[in-house]
């Protein structure tokens, strides 16, 4: 039986489910909202306004909230597109703060069909891959304020015993 949130996502539709994440308590509290979700899940845009509850000690965007707004989306987009034949997990993440966020910020996540096909082909061939994906958080002027790098683990459910092969420069 699928976990509760996966059942909800399947029932309401993945794109609609991702838009409803604005009501997920950590996102609601931080003022994070999912704006645009492409029907094919190839593009997703998230934004966060600067508010008293997500400011840090010096009055700019709290770094934890900047990371939180980027945390699950590559994993969810790829998991939802690949379907039940694959297991997709976050393996690691880094965030590089480039400059203070002083207002509304946004991030765009892209998993174009060609990249998804490549990931699927690599996972089918190797059994398990660890692709590295990157999103940039930008301010209202489009200037980068943070860069988030995620390493995922993607494997076929039916090929558990195949040795992991890194992709995109990530280590197994």
């Amino acid at each position: 039986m699928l976990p509760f949130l996966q059942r909800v996502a399947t029932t309401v539709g993945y794109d609609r489910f991702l838009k409803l994440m604005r009501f997920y308590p950590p996102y609601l509290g931080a003022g994070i909202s999912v704006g645009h979700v492409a029907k094919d899940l190839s593009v997703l845009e998230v934004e966060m306004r600067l508010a008293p509850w997500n400011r840090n000690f010096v009055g700019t965007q709290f770094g934890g909230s900047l990371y939180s707004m980027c945390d699950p989306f590559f994993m969810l987009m790829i998991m939802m597109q690949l379907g039940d034949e694959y297991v997709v997990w976050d393996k690691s993440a880094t965030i590089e703060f480039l400059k203070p966020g002083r207002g509304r910020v946004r991030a765009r996540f892209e998993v174009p069909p060609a990249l998804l096909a490549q990931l699927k082909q690599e996972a089918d061939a190797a059994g398990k891959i660890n692709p590295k994906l990157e999103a940039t958080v930008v301010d209202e002027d489009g200037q980068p304020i943070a860069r988030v790098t995620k390493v995922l683990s993607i494997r076929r459910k039916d090929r558990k015993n195949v040795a992991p092969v890194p992709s995109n420069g990530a280590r197994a």
Side-chain angles (χ1 to χ4, degrees):
M1 183 154 156
L2 289 174
F4 174 72
L5 288 178
Q6 288 183 26
R7 289 194 315 268
V8 171
T10 302
T11 302
V12 302
Y14 291 140
D15 60 327
R16 194 173 290 143
F17 174 79
L18 290 168
K19 287 181 184 176
L20 290 172
M21 283 190 67
R22 72 175 3 165
F23 299 110
Y24 179 52
Y27 280 14
L28 187 62
I32 298 167
S33 63
V34 177
H36 169 72
V37 180
K39 268 289 200 205
D40 66 356
L41 305 179
S42 62
V43 176
L44 183 142
E45 295 174 356
V46 178
E47 68 176 40
M48 178 174 59
R49 65 189 182 284
L50 182 61
W53 47 87
N54 64 11
R55 290 177 195 260
N56 61 21
F57 189 73
V58 295
T60 61
Q61 291 282 6
F62 175 63
S65 295
L66 289 169
Y67 174 74
S68 179
M69 74 182 275
C70 298
D71 181 27
F73 295 110
F74 280 127
M75 182 192 79
L76 292 174
M77 292 166 72
I78 292 171
M79 177 190 302
M80 290 172 173
Q81 290 182 75
L82 288 177
D84 291 339
E85 294 178 22
Y86 296 85
V87 176
V88 182
W89 287 97
D90 283 323
K91 185 171 180 164
S92 67
T94 58
I95 184 167
E96 179 183 6
F97 300 107
L98 305 172
K99 71 180 221 179
R102 301 188 189 282
R104 185 178 301 266
V105 296
R106 65 184 190 286
R108 180 179 172 97
F109 304 87
E110 296 183 26
V111 181
L115 174 59
L116 186 70
Q118 175 189 342
L119 296 174
K120 185 174 182 176
Q121 180 182 18
E122 290 177 10
D124 288 348
K128 179 181 176 182
I129 59 171
N130 297 303
K132 187 187 303 186
L133 302 163
E134 187 174 283
T136 302
V137 181
V138 298
D139 64 15
E140 293 170 301
D141 296 325
Q143 296 300 307
I145 65 158
R147 186 173 302 110
V148 175
T149 303
K150 302 287 296 221
V151 176
L152 302 181
S153 172
I154 302 173
R155 71 169 174 81
R156 289 191 55 85
K157 282 186 180 176
D158 61 353
R159 296 191 59 186
K160 294 178 184 176
N161 297 324
V162 176
V165 174
S167 73
N168 294 350
R171 286 188 229 164

